[in-house]
Amino acid sequence: MPDAPVRPDTPATDRRTPVGGAPTAAHSAAEADEPRIDIAAVTGMLLGTWADTRREAREMITDSAFWGIDGLPLPEHRERVVEQLHLLVEQGASGRAYPTEYGGQASNGANLAGFEELVLADPSLQIKSGVQWGLFGSAIHQLGTKPHHDAWLSDVMSLKLPGAFAMTETGHGSDVAAIGTTATYDPQTEQFVIHTPFRGAWKDYLGNAALHGKAATVFAQLITGGVNYGVHCFFVPLRDDDGVFLPGIGGEDDGVKGGLNGIDNGRLHFDQVHIPRTNLLNRYGDVAVDGTYSSPITSRGRRFFTMLGALVQGRVSLDGAATIGAALAEYIAVTYGNQRRQFDSGSGTDEVVLLDYGKHQRRLLPRVAQTYAQYFAHDELLQKFDGVFGGTTDTPEQREDLETLAAALKPLSTWNALDTVQDCREACGGAGFLAENRLVGLHHDLDVYATFEGDNNILLQLVGKRLLSDYATQFRTADAATLAKYVVGQTAGKVFHGAGLRQLGQAVADLGSTARSVERGLRGDQQHELLADRVEQMVADIAERLRPAAKADQEQAAALFNANQAELIEAARAHGELLQWEAFTDALQKIHDEGTRQVLTWLRDLFGLWVIEKHLAWYLINGRLSAQRAAAVGRYIDRLCGRLRPHAQDLVDAFGFAPEHVRAPIASGAEQQRQDEARDHYAALAASGRAPTPEKALPQT
Amino acid sequence: MPDAPVRPDTPATDRRTPVGGAPTAAHSAAEADEPRIDIAAVTGMLLGTWADTRREAREMITDSAFWGIDGLPLPEHRERVVEQLHLLVEQGASGRAYPTEYGGQASNGANLAGFEELVLADPSLQIKSGVQWGLFGSAIHQLGTKPHHDAWLSDVMSLKLPGAFAMTETGHGSDVAAIGTTATYDPQTEQFVIHTPFRGAWKDYLGNAALHGKAATVFAQLITGGVNYGVHCFFVPLRDDDGVFLPGIGGEDDGVKGGLNGIDNGRLHFDQVHIPRTNLLNRYGDVAVDGTYSSPITSRGRRFFTMLGALVQGRVSLDGAATIGAALAEYIAVTYGNQRRQFDSGSGTDEVVLLDYGKHQRRLLPRVAQTYAQYFAHDELLQKFDGVFGGTTDTPEQREDLETLAAALKPLSTWNALDTVQDCREACGGAGFLAENRLVGLHHDLDVYATFEGDNNILLQLVGKRLLSDYATQFRTADAATLAKYVVGQTAGKVFHGAGLRQLGQAVADLGSTARSVERGLRGDQQHELLADRVEQMVADIAERLRPAAKADQEQAAALFNANQAELIEAARAHGELLQWEAFTDALQKIHDEGTRQVLTWLRDLFGLWVIEKHLAWYLINGRLSAQRAAAVGRYIDRLCGRLRPHAQDLVDAFGFAPEHVRAPIASGAEQQRQDEARDHYAALAASGRAPTPEKALPQT
């Protein structure tokens, strides 16, 4: 069992006060005599719409029974996580999404909010919960109908029925439509026959498959009457009560993984396994006793995407969990960077606090800004998800928007989590490499978030295609007048390309390069214009380049698309960044406290400019920024980092983590204690008169 | 024990031949009817000056006794690596660097070359070997004198005397000069008293400290006669033959780490531990019986850096090992990407091979180019190291150059290894997350390479300072005429900034944007000019901004330096990139085979342009590239990727890994077999007439 977390001996506010010696810079907002954020209020903003559920979940996981243990051998880790799942059931935390008649709370938003916080306890717990209740249970709930709910939902919630979500195959991941597993209806026996006809069709990477799953929701090509109606989902019992595979079913353990080793991922294969006809989860497609297929959705494509879309919640929850994981890493690295000193500045006896180094600020503070943006964007995503799945805004358009939004945000936040955790790890040096300080474990566990529930590049490609189709729609529905206007608009756009510089206030700035005038041209409105313009221009450019595809054969069209694939993905990324920026900006509007608004506006600016800096070459090539203005972006970021530096601790304290969530000794105040002890030692030595003379102070011989 | 590696059933050349169906693009150079590299010859080039030793080491580690085992619990992993070290001793692989009179081979270059290859077996083995023979043993060898060599070197080589290298403390890592451990000479007893006076002075993160070390080379402030002569190194026995700490010594286990868990890292503390005066490793500083200090190096600073410089080999070897690790990841991801198919292109029955996707090529091929550049740069570094440490070129200038070169290359290659492994991991999807496929383990183990043996940012900062001082030296030694020329030169430089575009052949290119004319302006010479100019300009710009520091007080000077820290680090990075590019280009000169030279020239171009693309905004802001030319960089990279795509397998095959080095099932040909099986299944089904009709082929109702 782990020890209790190291609790700092001093309260949080004292921890921020530099101890002994003059600080090398203002280390807290209090010292700097500057506006200060209302930490508790900001915590409330970050926790968002379902703050109460999040607080409840966080309170629950202060219990060490929920924590991961470093170095626990794989079999024990797996068992521990199963026990933790049972604890979740006991605490009533397993069924918030399910209908009230089965004991749930019918709150989709609260459900995901609660699960996302589990990443603080152990990402294996978060993901194993997601497998059981977010994937396996959700498939029954979302793709099944009342008889299925009656039969299984209560047992799913109570964990009496642990299950696997058997969609991915060894041979097919992102391309679900091409899976090889078949479910062939036999009207004689009124059964479906589940079969994996070759090794590549084995279901793979499934949580709960190696050990604990008693059943699985299996995706397979539905074949009846000699016709393949495409991918549908089936409830398939896997193991008997002794955990032995049922006849015709077998599997393998996926073994050790890069992380998430508390989950028993594995493979499954099916050799002509018979299941009742009624085990087809038949909300979107059914087979009658005589084998007749029917569906409320006639379009095969729309039916497929509707079924897959029912499972968007995995992506939504990864966006949230990755954001929380990044925040935890930042809390640890900023707190340590605020205490750890290294290298004498040459100006006194004290060494320099890490966070006073320009490079260290540049490394950590934009990441904090990015994470704030993600928190606000995620809350909007969660609201949309709750509206669609709760039924209040369940229209095909809203569903499509939800899927696009999730596909845009999940890649950005999961990649950012990895980059952030890695940077934080390195910023903590050797201490960051120790498992006890959490950072390496976070990287190991979150690594796969970038490719599961949809490979990030594939998701962004989907977003890109949506952007292209929206762009095309403008013209499909347009009459001649609109089209004419578009042509003019294009020309205007091109003129604007060149003249855009002025529009962005650069004429003002270029008169003199004072900091103030430069900033004037890079404030909120201009940031928005730069970010939004980039998306529009990129999409328009790609559409233009793809235009010949309409008249080409399929092969040529594919080649043309392939040649533009990387850029389409970039356009989708730009779209996601714009959404995050807008969410951050919307959040600013709701702040009444002046100090908070001021500091968070700086943070939003830092986020916006950091994004612009990443794409600076694009802005220059496309004439959206002059060389002088572009050069100013980096300097403005430096200034914002300096301005935000005294608020760094406030900003990460506002994530609202308790010591039981952090559990990293380096962020516990231990480093500060060591610094104090060393300083006291040298002071006492100097006072005693026994301190050795430095060689350099000797008279030269 | 691990299974034997999965050996592909087909020889390597057959694996490259696409099986069944028309390929979606040329997959091998043979198909593409293009120049082809001589794989064996390229392997020889990559293995470099000490190819024989590398082949010997690779042959040795085909024995599975040297391999890491996934999921091995920490205590067993540690014991396994100790056993492997004993095997190295048996095989005579432990002492290549040591003097022949103690049984060594006195070959510094061969020694590092051999150790670097161990990363293919298990990075824990590589690093534990490095601790024992590269750090602990080297400290005795490089910092000690004959009596020390006589006393301990044979036992170090035979592992009779396992030891720790006790430099880093909990409180001080990169800032070695500020360590807190003291070694105070007592003339009464003729002993040094080793003492860690506070918690922050405990030695930390030391391999061999938690369990196996019987002694340590301890770095401490040498105090004699009331004077602190700075950091020196002492031989301190730690444990008795039963493994029990000697009186006054204690320690802690660092526990689970993010990787390298085959090494027993730990902490040590010393409470007034007495050691003989002669245990001071006294090559660069000695204390006589009466306590008189003497040193062949009067400058305290130079003495300090000379002692630390004796240990540069750690950095050199990490540069090599990180490069090999990146190459292994690329071999795995490219081989898999050449077999794995996903998504129907719409043009036929076969799915598209991953490496035919534009994005996939963009992701993997520049990384291969980067790794080639690193191989060539590393061999130059190793030659320089061998020259200096072998005595043939051991001058202070050469030592300084060696240290600067190591400090420039190690950060680039270790960071690149992490980024590469991560990209390769994601490029392999869920399969990449399984430990058996090696990629996650490589990331875990190589993670700490970025911060140990010198934090990467600190190392680059050292390089930056060297660049600045070289820049200043030009003027310190200059007479009035030179200075005048410099002033003119500066002006000329500024003019050139604007006019430089023409110099780079852009006038030609800008006349028409044909691919050929664009490429003409981005070929070898222009790449060199762009890369070299950037270093010079950045250094000059920083020097100009730092100029006021000369007249400022220490605090202001420190603030000014801090404001330019990030950019100085960038300048050092640019310098390292230039060195890598030059090494690659030098290697091209030695190729006689035309096909090989053609393909590797494309690869060198890809490397150069990829680096230029990363810094495109800088080139635009500084007027070195026009917007049009800058836009062409990305398109040229795309074209190079397309040209290199058929050579991708050749290029990674040339790394020369045997199946026993790769050991990743996804790169074994298993994926190709699965594809073939699936294809055969569908073909047989179609032939049987029992294949289901796709729903979309049904008549519309």
Side-chain angles (χ1 to χ4, degrees):
Chain A
M1 294 292 295
D3 291 327
V6 180
R7 277 176 183 281
D9 288 342
T10 51
T13 47
D14 283 348
R15 271 185 289 144
R16 281 197 304 278
T17 311
V19 181
T24 44
H27 292 90
S28 73
E31 277 169 60
D33 191 24
E34 278 191 4
R36 180 133 195 219
I37 67 168
D38 177 341
I39 296 178
V42 173
T43 304
M45 289 173 66
L46 294 172
L47 293 181
T49 309
W50 288 275
D52 290 346
T53 308
R54 290 188 189 276
R55 289 186 205 277
E56 198 180 296
R58 287 190 180 188
E59 178 57 34
M60 179 181 72
I61 58 172
T62 57
D63 180 350
S64 63
F66 288 101
W67 305 347
I69 297 174
D70 300 324
L72 201 61
L74 181 141
E76 295 167 42
H77 192 185
R78 288 176 170 184
E79 285 313 309
R80 182 176 172 83
V81 172
V82 172
E83 287 165 27
Q84 291 168 339
L85 255 65
H86 283 289
L87 287 177
L88 288 180
V89 173
E90 282 173 29
Q91 304 256 2
S94 70
R96 293 192 184 96
Y98 293 107
T100 49
E101 59 260 50
Y102 305 102
Q105 297 172 24
S107 174
N108 290 281
N111 182 57
L112 286 198
F115 278 121
E116 288 164 7
E117 300 291 333
L118 299 181
V119 78
L120 294 166
D122 182 353
S124 282
L125 172 59
Q126 182 227 334
I127 298 298
K128 180 113 171 171
S129 301
V131 168
Q132 172 68 14
W133 296 300
L135 291 172
F136 171 66
S138 269
I140 297 169
H141 181 202
Q142 301 290 339
L143 303 181
T145 49
K146 189 153 190 313
H148 306 122
H149 301 168
D150 289 347
W152 299 310
L153 279 190
S154 294
D155 289 350
V156 167
M157 287 168 61
S158 71
L159 210 61
K160 198 176 149 192
L161 180 64
F165 179 78
M167 177 185 273
T168 294
E169 299 178 351
T170 304
H172 285 97
S174 292
D175 186 8
V176 177
I179 57 173
T181 302
T182 52
T184 310
Y185 184 63
D186 175 6
Q188 305 307 117
T189 58
E190 299 183 18
Q191 288 177 323
F192 282 102
V193 182
I194 307 291
H195 188 59
T196 45
F198 44 82
R199 175 63 187 80
W202 287 19
K203 298 296 178 180
D204 206 346
Y205 316 115
L206 321 175
N208 267 344
L211 285 179
H212 303 122
K214 289 193 180 166
T217 47
V218 176
F219 288 76
Q221 307 284 351
L222 189 160
I223 298 164
T224 181
V227 176
N228 181 345
Y229 288 91
V231 175
H232 289 65
C233 187
F234 302 81
F235 182 93
V236 183
L238 291 180
R239 289 182 171 92
D240 63 22
D241 286 342
D242 298 325
V244 178
F245 275 127
L246 297 172
I249 300 174
E252 285 179 358
D253 196 317
D254 275 327
V256 183
K257 304 186 299 294
L260 299 180
N261 279 307
I263 306 167
D264 58 324
N265 293 73
R267 308 180 179 112
L268 296 174
H269 52 85
F270 301 91
D271 182 10
Q272 312 282 357
V273 173
H274 290 246
I275 57 168
R277 179 185 65 92
T278 51
N279 277 21
L280 166 62
L281 300 173
N282 61 346
R283 178 170 171 190
Y284 296 114
D286 204 0
V287 170
V289 173
D290 68 355
T292 308
Y293 181 82
S294 64
S295 169
I297 308 175
T298 46
S299 155
R300 180 184 157 107
R302 203 157 70 73
R303 190 194 312 143
F304 174 73
F305 285 111
T306 303
M307 281 197 252
L308 259 59
L311 305 159
V312 70
Q313 69 174 292
R315 292 170 192 170
V316 176
S317 71
L318 292 185
D319 181 58
T323 299
I324 296 168
L328 176 59
E330 286 155 10
Y331 177 84
I332 292 168
V334 167
T335 302
Y336 182 66
N338 244 339
Q339 297 179 3
R340 174 79 170 182
R341 292 167 181 269
Q342 204 74 177
F343 288 106
D344 186 345
S345 70
S347 63
T349 52
D350 252 349
E351 293 166 295
V352 179
V353 173
L354 290 192
L355 208 54
D356 283 341
Y357 287 106
K359 179 74 185 174
H360 215 74
Q361 293 169 15
R362 260 283 196 166
R363 201 171 191 181
L364 296 179
L365 297 182
R367 301 244 168 240
V368 174
Q370 165 85 46
T371 299
Y372 267 66
Q374 287 177 200
Y375 263 107
F376 297 127
H378 178 68
D379 197 56
E380 291 188 5
L381 173 62
L382 204 51
Q383 286 178 39
K384 191 173 274 290
F385 168 74
D386 187 71
V388 169
F389 277 69
T392 55
T393 57
D394 189 5
T395 65
E397 293 71 28
Q398 287 285 333
R399 273 197 183 249
E400 198 181 345
D401 283 355
L402 167 64
E403 283 160 32
T404 305
L405 190 59
L409 295 180
K410 179 264 186 182
L412 272 58
S413 54
T414 54
W415 270 328
N416 178 57
L418 292 182
D419 292 344
T420 295
V421 172
Q422 185 64 30
D423 247 352
C424 289
R425 189 318 267 161
E426 293 179 26
C428 294
F433 193 58
L434 301 188
E436 63 177 23
N437 289 321
R438 305 288 307 276
L439 298 164
V440 289
L442 279 174
H443 198 284
H444 298 181
D445 289 330
L446 299 187
D447 181 357
V448 76
Y449 289 26
T451 51
F452 75 6
E453 301 284 328
D455 175 275
N456 281 354
N457 279 308
I458 308 265
L459 291 179
L460 287 179
Q461 192 171 300
L462 289 176
V463 174
K465 285 180 175 172
R466 169 76 190 271
L467 293 173
L468 281 176
S469 88
D470 283 2
Y471 182 82
T473 305
Q474 292 175 31
F475 308 115
R476 236 198 326 269
T477 59
D479 55 16
T482 312
L483 274 177
K485 220 162 76 186
Y486 165 70
V487 174
V488 174
Q490 274 298 82
T491 317
K494 280 193 183 141
V495 172
F496 167 77
H497 260 233
L501 307 179
R502 209 151 31 117
Q503 180 136 355
L504 297 174
Q506 299 201 28
V508 178
D510 293 351
L511 291 176
S513 65
T514 66
R516 184 172 298 275
S517 71
V518 168
E519 291 181 14
R520 207 178 291 153
L522 291 168
R523 287 196 180 149
D525 289 349
Q526 285 83 8
Q527 290 166 34
H528 187 247
E529 190 156 357
L530 287 166
L531 295 171
D533 260 21
R534 181 158 181 263
V535 180
E536 285 170 25
Q537 187 63 45
M538 287 180 91
V539 172
D541 288 348
I542 297 166
E544 179 63 28
R545 288 201 298 274
L546 289 181
R547 194 179 293 191
K551 292 178 188 167
D553 66 24
Q554 251 188 334
E555 196 163 343
Q556 289 170 324
L560 196 58
F561 187 82
N562 196 23
N564 285 281
Q565 184 193 24
E567 195 150 350
L568 186 64
I569 289 171
E570 275 313 297
R573 187 198 305 271
H575 177 66
E577 289 166 344
L578 173 64
L579 293 173
Q580 291 178 336
W581 187 94
E582 288 177 343
F584 201 153
T585 303
D586 286 348
L588 293 179
Q589 313 303 321
K590 297 173 199 147
I591 302 173
H592 300 297
D593 176 63
E594 204 171 319
T596 302
R597 194 172 55 237
Q598 175 63 77
V599 175
L600 290 198
T601 300
W602 290 337
L603 196 67
R604 192 278 321 267
D605 289 345
L606 179 58
F607 172 65
L609 291 167
W610 194 52
V611 171
I612 290 166
E613 189 185 47
K614 284 186 202 172
H615 311 303
L616 209 50
W618 187 94
Y619 288 107
L620 284 154
I621 288 172
N622 288 275
R624 304 303 173 103
L625 284 176
S626 68
Q628 192 181 354
R629 174 60 44 89
V633 169
R635 292 196 299 271
Y636 193 8
I637 290 176
D638 290 339
R639 266 200 308 284
L640 284 167
C641 284
R643 245 179 238 166
L644 286 164
R645 191 259 168 275
H647 303 277
Q649 193 69 48
D650 284 355
L651 290 167
V652 296
D653 283 352
F655 292 138
F657 301 131
E660 292 87 350
H661 303 131
V662 179
R663 306 196 301 277
I666 45 167
S668 68
E671 177 63 23
Q672 186 68 61
Q673 288 173 23
R674 284 193 293 266
Q675 305 267 356
D676 295 348
E677 187 199 355
R679 193 181 291 105
D680 291 349
H681 166 80
Y682 287 120
L685 195 62
S688 74
R690 290 180 293 108
T693 309
E695 183 186 9
K696 65 180 171 186
L698 292 181
Q700 296 298 311
T701 53
Chain B
M1 294 296 295
D3 292 328
V6 180
R7 274 174 186 281
D9 287 343
T10 49
T13 47
D14 284 347
R15 270 184 289 144
R16 280 196 306 277
T17 310
V19 181
T24 45
H27 292 92
S28 72
E31 277 170 60
D33 191 25
E34 279 193 3
R36 181 133 194 219
I37 66 168
D38 176 340
I39 297 180
V42 174
T43 303
M45 289 172 68
L46 294 172
L47 293 182
T49 309
W50 288 274
D52 290 345
T53 309
R54 291 189 189 276
R55 291 188 204 273
E56 196 182 299
R58 287 190 180 188
E59 178 57 32
M60 179 182 70
I61 58 173
T62 56
D63 180 349
S64 63
F66 287 100
W67 305 347
I69 297 173
D70 301 325
L72 201 63
L74 182 141
E76 295 166 43
H77 192 185
R78 287 176 171 184
E79 285 313 310
R80 181 175 172 83
V81 172
V82 171
E83 287 163 29
Q84 291 169 338
L85 255 64
H86 283 289
L87 287 178
L88 289 180
V89 173
E90 282 172 30
Q91 305 256 1
S94 70
R96 292 192 185 96
Y98 294 108
T100 48
E101 59 258 51
Y102 305 103
Q105 297 171 24
S107 173
N108 290 280
N111 181 58
L112 286 198
F115 278 121
E116 288 164 7
E117 300 292 331
L118 298 181
V119 78
L120 294 167
D122 182 351
S124 282
L125 171 59
Q126 182 226 334
I127 298 298
K128 181 113 170 171
S129 302
V131 168
Q132 172 66 15
W133 295 300
L135 292 172
F136 171 65
S138 270
I140 296 169
H141 180 200
Q142 300 291 339
L143 303 180
T145 47
K146 187 150 192 313
H148 304 122
H149 300 169
D150 289 345
W152 300 308
L153 279 189
S154 294
D155 288 350
V156 166
M157 286 168 61
S158 72
L159 212 62
K160 196 174 149 193
L161 180 65
F165 180 78
M167 177 186 271
T168 294
E169 300 179 350
T170 305
H172 286 94
S174 292
D175 187 8
V176 177
I179 56 172
T181 302
T182 51
T184 309
Y185 183 66
D186 175 6
Q188 303 309 117
T189 59
E190 299 183 20
Q191 288 178 321
F192 282 102
V193 182
I194 307 291
H195 189 59
T196 46
F198 44 82
R199 175 61 187 81
W202 287 20
K203 297 297 177 180
D204 207 346
Y205 316 114
L206 321 175
N208 268 344
L211 285 179
H212 303 124
K214 288 193 179 166
T217 46
V218 176
F219 288 78
Q221 307 284 349
L222 187 160
I223 299 164
T224 179
V227 175
N228 181 346
Y229 288 90
V231 175
H232 289 65
C233 186
F234 302 82
F235 182 94
V236 183
L238 291 180
R239 290 180 170 94
D240 63 22
D241 287 340
D242 299 325
V244 178
F245 275 128
L246 297 172
I249 300 175
E252 284 178 359
D253 196 316
D254 276 326
V256 184
K257 304 186 299 294
L260 298 181
N261 278 307
I263 306 167
D264 59 323
N265 294 75
R267 307 179 180 112
L268 295 174
H269 50 85
F270 301 90
D271 183 11
Q272 312 283 355
V273 173
H274 290 247
I275 58 168
R277 177 186 66 92
T278 51
N279 278 19
L280 166 63
L281 300 174
N282 61 346
R283 177 170 172 191
Y284 297 113
D286 203 2
V287 170
V289 174
D290 68 354
T292 309
Y293 180 83
S294 63
S295 169
I297 307 174
T298 47
S299 154
R300 180 184 158 107
R302 204 157 69 74
R303 190 194 312 143
F304 174 72
F305 285 111
T306 302
M307 280 196 255
L308 260 59
L311 305 159
V312 70
Q313 68 173 291
R315 291 170 192 167
V316 175
S317 71
L318 293 185
D319 181 57
T323 299
I324 296 168
L328 176 59
E330 286 155 11
Y331 177 83
I332 293 169
V334 167
T335 301
Y336 183 66
N338 244 340
Q339 298 181 2
R340 174 80 170 181
R341 292 166 181 270
Q342 205 74 178
F343 288 106
D344 187 345
S345 69
S347 63
T349 51
D350 250 351
E351 293 167 295
V352 179
V353 173
L354 290 192
L355 207 55
D356 283 340
Y357 287 108
K359 179 73 184 174
H360 215 75
Q361 292 169 14
R362 259 283 196 170
R363 204 171 189 180
L364 296 180
L365 298 183
R367 301 244 168 241
V368 174
Q370 165 85 48
T371 299
Y372 267 67
Q374 287 176 200
Y375 263 106
F376 298 127
H378 177 67
D379 197 57
E380 291 189 4
L381 172 62
L382 204 52
Q383 287 179 37
K384 193 174 271 290
F385 168 74
D386 187 70
V388 169
F389 277 68
T392 56
T393 57
D394 187 6
T395 66
E397 294 70 30
Q398 287 285 335
R399 273 198 183 251
E400 198 181 345
D401 283 355
L402 168 64
E403 283 160 31
T404 305
L405 190 60
L409 296 181
K410 179 262 187 184
L412 271 59
S413 54
T414 54
W415 270 326
N416 177 60
L418 292 182
D419 292 344
T420 295
V421 172
Q422 185 65 30
D423 247 352
C424 290
R425 192 312 271 161
E426 293 178 26
C428 294
F433 193 57
L434 301 188
E436 63 178 21
N437 289 321
R438 306 286 308 277
L439 299 164
V440 289
L442 278 175
H443 198 285
H444 297 180
D445 289 330
L446 299 186
D447 181 357
V448 77
Y449 289 26
T451 52
F452 75 5
E453 300 285 327
D455 175 274
N456 281 355
N457 279 307
I458 309 263
L459 290 180
L460 288 179
Q461 192 171 301
L462 288 176
V463 174
K465 285 180 176 173
R466 169 76 190 272
L467 293 173
L468 281 176
S469 89
D470 282 359
Y471 182 81
T473 304
Q474 293 175 27
F475 309 115
R476 233 196 331 268
T477 60
D479 56 17
T482 312
L483 274 176
K485 218 161 78 184
Y486 165 70
V487 174
V488 175
Q490 274 300 81
T491 317
K494 278 186 183 143
V495 171
F496 167 77
H497 261 230
L501 307 180
R502 208 150 33 115
Q503 180 137 358
L504 297 174
Q506 298 199 27
V508 178
D510 294 353
L511 289 176
S513 67
T514 66
R516 186 172 295 275
S517 73
V518 166
E519 291 181 13
R520 205 177 294 153
L522 291 167
R523 287 195 180 152
D525 289 349
Q526 285 85 9
Q527 290 166 33
H528 187 246
E529 190 156 357
L530 286 167
L531 294 172
D533 260 22
R534 182 158 181 262
V535 180
E536 284 170 26
Q537 187 63 44
M538 287 180 91
V539 172
D541 287 349
I542 297 165
E544 179 65 28
R545 288 201 300 274
L546 290 180
R547 196 180 291 192
K551 292 176 185 168
D553 65 25
Q554 250 187 338
E555 197 161 341
Q556 290 168 322
L560 196 58
F561 186 82
N562 196 23
N564 287 280
Q565 185 194 21
E567 194 150 353
L568 186 64
I569 288 170
E570 276 312 299
R573 187 196 307 270
H575 176 66
E577 289 166 344
L578 172 64
L579 293 173
Q580 291 178 335
W581 188 94
E582 289 178 340
F584 201 152
T585 302
D586 286 347
L588 293 180
Q589 312 304 322
K590 296 173 199 146
I591 302 174
H592 301 297
D593 176 65
E594 203 170 322
T596 303
R597 194 174 54 236
Q598 175 63 78
V599 174
L600 291 197
T601 300
W602 289 337
L603 196 67
R604 192 280 319 269
D605 289 346
L606 178 58
F607 173 65
L609 291 166
W610 193 51
V611 170
I612 290 166
E613 188 185 47
K614 284 187 201 172
H615 310 303
L616 209 52
W618 187 93
Y619 288 107
L620 284 155
I621 289 172
N622 288 275
R624 304 303 173 102
L625 284 176
S626 68
Q628 192 182 352
R629 174 60 45 91
V633 170
R635 292 197 299 272
Y636 193 9
I637 290 176
D638 290 339
R639 264 200 310 283
L640 284 167
C641 284
R643 245 179 239 167
L644 286 163
R645 191 259 170 273
H647 304 277
Q649 193 68 48
D650 284 356
L651 290 168
V652 297
D653 282 352
F655 292 138
F657 301 132
E660 292 87 349
H661 304 131
V662 179
R663 308 195 299 276
I666 44 166
S668 68
E671 178 62 23
Q672 185 68 59
Q673 288 173 22
R674 284 193 294 267
Q675 306 267 355
D676 295 345
E677 187 198 355
R679 192 181 293 106
D680 291 348
H681 166 80
Y682 286 121
L685 195 63
S688 73
R690 290 179 292 107
T693 308
E695 182 186 9
K696 63 180 173 187
L698 292 181
Q700 297 298 309
T701 51

